[in-house]
Amino acid sequence: MLIELRGKYPDEELDRGDSGTLYVGEKGVIYTGTYGDKMHVVPWEKMRETPQPPKTLPRPRTFLRISSKRVGRVKRTPQ
């Protein structure tokens, strides 16, 4: 796959550096460099056409409160 992408997009920096990851899906390929650096849709032209996601996620209006307690815990004494 990498060899095919290198031939198709020679200007892309798909394997420069020490490592990277290709995410291959039905609609295209996403590349990330080491530690998620330089994440982009391959090719860059398609990345520029992709709309930016919203800056923040909507926050929930109510919160589910969960209470818990430890069951079966026995206090141990040193021997």
Side-chain angles (χ1 to χ4, degrees):
M1 178 86 187
L2 181 59
I3 294 169
E4 179 184 325
L5 287 172
R6 267 195 258 152
K8 195 171 181 180
Y9 308 110
D11 295 334
E12 295 283 335
E13 296 182 16
L14 297 177
D15 61 346
R16 312 267 192 310
D18 59 350
S19 66
T21 306
L22 291 172
Y23 297 94
V24 181
E26 294 176 2
K27 296 181 181 181
V29 177
I30 296 175
Y31 168 77
T32 62
T34 305
Y35 305 111
D37 184 36
K38 300 180 183 176
M39 177 186 271
H40 68 278
V41 176
V42 177
W44 272 103
E45 290 79 27
K46 192 170 183 180
M47 177 70 178
R48 289 184 189 101
E49 295 170 3
T50 305
Q52 289 283 333
K55 296 284 183 188
T56 60
L57 296 172
R59 303 291 179 220
R61 293 182 182 187
T62 60
F63 293 94
L64 176 64
R65 297 193 185 268
I66 299 173
S67 61
S68 63
K69 58 183 171 179
R70 295 180 181 191
V71 177
R73 185 170 177 132
V74 178
K75 186 175 181 179
R76 297 182 184 200
T77 57
Q79 295 181 2

